[in-house]
Amino acid sequence: MTFRRSFELAMLVVGLSFYAAPAFPRDIGSFDRTLTVSGPVDLDVATGSGHITVRPGGANDVHVHATISASDWDSSGAEQRAREIEANPPIRQTGNSIRIERLSDFADRHISISYEIETPAQTTLRARTGSGGETIEGIQGPVTASTGSGGVRVSDVGAEVHADTGSGGIELANIKGRVVANTGSGGIRANNLMAEVTARTGSGGVQLQLPSAEGFDLHARTGSGRVTVGPPITMDNFSANQHDVRGRIRGGGPLIDVSTGSGGVHVE
C-alpha cells in the first residue's frame, strides 16, 4: 500500500470517528430574572439536565441566573429554541411561591439549563435534576434535593434535609434538622449533623463526623466492609466481623441509622 493511500485511509477513519462521537454540551444562551418577594420563600426548581446551585442573597428578592446549553450537532434549531427560552423563561411566581419548571417538549431533549439562584435565607426548597449536580447552602429549609445522576452538596441548613441521587456522592455539613440521604452508587460524607440521620448507599463508603459534645444512638451496618466508631460507645450488639454495630454514643440521643451494601462505615 502506498503512503498516499495509507494517509487517505487514516484521514477517513478520523473523519468517521469525528462524526460518530457524541457532541459535548456547549453554552448557547442565558437569562437573568429578579423576582420581588415579601416574606419566606417557597422555591421549587426542576431541570431535565443541568446543575442547580442555591445560596442566600437579598432579603426581598430571588435572583435567577440560567445558562442554556445544547449537545446537538445541528445547533441552529437549538439556538432558536434558546432565544425562545430567553424571551419566556420557565419561571412562574405566585406571591412568595416561585416555581422553575422543567422543559418537557420532545424538541428540548438536547437542551439543558443550569441554574444559579440567590434567595432569602428564609426559603423552603425542592430541587430536582435528571442529570447534574446540586449545591445548596445557607438557607433555612426544609430542603429536598434529588438528581438521577450527579453529586449533591448541602450545607448550613436550619431544618430537615432529604438528599437523593441515583449515582453520585452526597456531602452534608452543619444541618440542624433531621437528615435522610440515599444514593444508589456513591459515598456519603457528613459532619456536624444535629438530629436524627438515616443514610443509605448501595455501593460506597459512609463517613460521619458527629458533634463532639452530643449523644447519639447508632445502628451502622455494611454488607461488605467494616464499621469503625471513634467516640466511646456502649455496645448493644457487635458482630464479630464488624459488619453490624448497634450502641449508644455519649449516653445516647437521636438515632444515626446507616447502611451500605458495599463499603465501609466510619463514625467519629
Side-chain angles (χ1 to χ4, degrees), residues 35-45 60-62 64 90-101 117 119-120 122-126:
L35 310 168
T36 301
V37 293
S38 59
V41 174
D42 182 28
L43 179 60
D44 189 302
V45 186
N60 298 309
D61 57 62
V62 175
V64 180
I91 301 174
R92 307 291 177 262
Q93 180 180 12
T94 304
N96 294 329
S97 179
I98 296 172
R99 181 178 179 86
I100 301 177
E101 300 172 339
I117 301 171
T119 186
Q122 295 296 318
T123 293
T124 296
L125 174 67
R126 292 172 299 281

Side-chain angles (χ1 to χ4, degrees), residues 7 54 66 68 74 81 85 89 91 114-115 151 172 176 181 191 195 200-201 213 216 235 258 260:
F7 179 80
V54 179
I68 306 170
D74 180 12
R81 179 62 177 130
I85 295 170
I91 301 174
S114 294
Y115 292 101
L172 306 165
K176 294 183 179 179
N191 68 79
R200 303 276 186 270
T201 174
F216 295 90
M235 295 291 188
V258 180
T260 174

Side-chain angles (χ1 to χ4, degrees), residues 9-227:
L9 287 174
M11 290 300 97
L12 177 61
V13 170
V14 170
L16 291 175
S17 299
F18 178 82
Y19 285 107
F24 292 99
R26 65 184 186 89
D27 296 347
I28 59 172
S30 65
F31 61 82
D32 287 86
R33 292 293 185 276
T34 298
L35 310 168
T36 301
V37 293
S38 59
V41 174
D42 182 28
L43 179 60
D44 189 302
V45 186
T47 184
S49 175
H51 301 282
I52 297 174
T53 300
V54 179
R55 59 174 61 95
N60 298 309
D61 57 62
V62 175
H63 180 74
V64 180
H65 173 73
T67 301
I68 306 170
S69 304
S71 58
D72 193 355
W73 283 114
D74 180 12
S75 60
S76 59
E79 290 182 354
Q80 174 59 35
R81 179 62 177 130
R83 303 293 83 77
E84 296 171 356
I85 295 170
E86 289 171 337
N88 185 26
I91 301 174
R92 307 291 177 262
Q93 180 180 12
T94 304
N96 294 329
S97 179
I98 296 172
R99 181 178 179 86
I100 301 177
E101 300 172 339
R102 174 175 177 167
L103 301 179
S104 58
D105 195 315
F106 180 75
D108 295 331
R109 67 190 184 280
H110 294 299
I111 292 177
S112 64
I113 305 181
S114 294
Y115 292 101
E116 296 181 27
I117 301 171
E118 294 183 354
T119 186
Q122 295 296 318
T123 293
T124 296
L125 174 67
R126 292 172 299 281
R128 304 176 302 283
T129 174
S131 175
E134 298 184 1
T135 301
I136 298 151
E137 59 187 27
I139 62 174
Q140 174 61 32
V143 168
T144 299
S146 63
T147 174
S149 175
V152 177
R153 296 181 179 181
V154 184
S155 62
D156 302 309
V157 169
E160 185 168 326
V161 170
H162 286 244
D164 293 273
T165 174
S167 175
I170 296 176
E171 296 184 20
L172 306 165
N174 305 321
I175 310 300
K176 294 183 179 179
R178 179 173 178 259
V179 169
V180 178
N182 297 288
T183 173
S185 174
I188 298 175
R189 298 177 59 185
N191 68 79
N192 202 29
L193 306 184
M194 307 292 187
E196 181 180 335
V197 176
T198 302
R200 303 276 186 270
T201 174
S203 175
V206 180
Q207 298 182 37
L208 301 179
Q209 184 175 3
L210 304 178
S212 59
E214 304 294 330
F216 295 90
D217 289 352
L218 174 69
H219 188 194
R221 52 212 179 275
T222 173
S224 174
R226 298 177 59 188
V227 177

